[in-house]
Amino acid sequence: VSPVTSAEYPQKAYRPRHSIMSLAKVKETGFAVPTWEEALHSFLTQFN
């Protein structure tokens, strides 16, 4: 696997340069959003 720029990777759909999903509305509901590390740990402990 080698890193490439967006210009080097052909895509059919336009992708915004800085498109980050906001979790603000989810957090406003009081739902606890785990970090990816916490979610991975939780997932892996289900198999051990």
Side-chain angles (χ1 to χ4, degrees), residues 1-24:
V1 176
S2 301
V4 297
T5 66
S6 294
E8 296 171 314
Y9 186 76
Q11 299 178 40
K12 293 183 179 183
Y14 168 75
R15 301 286 185 244
R17 185 174 174 110
H18 297 289
S19 58
I20 300 171
M21 189 171 104
S22 172
L23 297 175

Side-chain angles (χ1 to χ4, degrees), residues 4-45:
V4 297
T5 66
S6 294
E8 296 171 314
Y9 186 76
Q11 299 178 40
K12 293 183 179 183
Y14 168 75
R15 301 286 185 244
R17 185 174 174 110
H18 297 289
S19 58
I20 300 171
M21 189 171 104
S22 172
L23 297 175
K25 290 188 178 187
V26 173
K27 290 179 180 179
E28 288 175 8
T29 66
F31 184 80
V33 181
T35 64
W36 70 267
E37 294 98 339
E38 293 167 336
L40 178 61
H41 181 274
S42 176
F43 177 79
L44 292 175
T45 56

